[in-house]
Amino acid sequence: MMKRVLYSILVTGMFTMPLVAKDLKGVLVNEKQKPIAGMKLWVKNTMNSVITGKNGDFFIEQLKESDTIVISVNKRQDAIIPMAGKADGWYVKLEKKSFILKIGSKEEKIEYTGKRRVERNNNVITRQQIEESRASDLYELLQGRIPGLNVEAVDGEQRISLRGGTSLELDNEPLFVIDGTNYESSNEADRSVNINDIEKIEVYKDGSAFGFKGANGAIVITTKKL
C-alpha cells in the first residue's frame, strides 16, 4: 500500500512540476563570419525582443521549450528557430538563401521562411505589425502609425486624439472598444489590455456608427481568441 502511495505522489509530481524558463545567449554573423549588429530577434507571438550588440551578440531571458525565435533577416525573409531540444550558446550565420545554426559541435543548415505579405491599411494595425514593433504599451503602439492620431501629455497623463472628430469638446478622447466593451479613456483601455494579446487595432476617425460616444472617433481593439 505504501509503495502504491509513493508511486502515485511521484507520478503526480512529474505532471505538475512547473516548466523551468531558461535564458539564451548567442552570436549572429554574416557569410564572412563578421558580427551583425543592430538586427532584431524576437519570441514569436510575444513582444519579447532584443537587438544584437556591436559584436553580434544577443541575450534573451525567460524562454520556454515551446517558444520560437524569429530573426528578421530582411523585408522578405525570416530565420525561424524553435527552442525545443536546443541548448544555449547559439552561433547563427546568415547566408543568402539559408542560415547555419551551430550549437556546440552540432551544425544545421536551415532555409529561410518567407514573410507573409500584409495588405497595408493606414487605419489598421495588424498582428504582424504589432509583433514587429517594440511597443510596451498602447500609446507606444499607436504613436506615429495612424495618420491624424496624436499622443500627447496632458496634466501629466498621456492622451490620444484623432483629427477629424466631430465633438466640440476638443479635450475628449476617442471611444475605445476592446472585444465589444467600451472604454471612455485611453488610460482605462491601456490598463485593460495586454499588448501581447492584441490581434488587430482598427481606427475610425468618423465614429458615428458608435453613436454620440463616437463623436471623437473610435479605436476598436480585437484580442486573440483563446
Side-chain angles (χ1 to χ4, degrees), residues 90-108:
W90 291 9
Y91 182 87
V92 184
K93 184 168 73 170
L94 302 183
E95 299 181 335
K96 288 184 178 180
K97 296 183 179 180
S98 60
F99 66 97
I100 293 174
L101 173 64
K102 186 175 181 181
I103 305 174
S105 59
K106 185 179 178 181
E107 190 172 295
E108 185 179 3

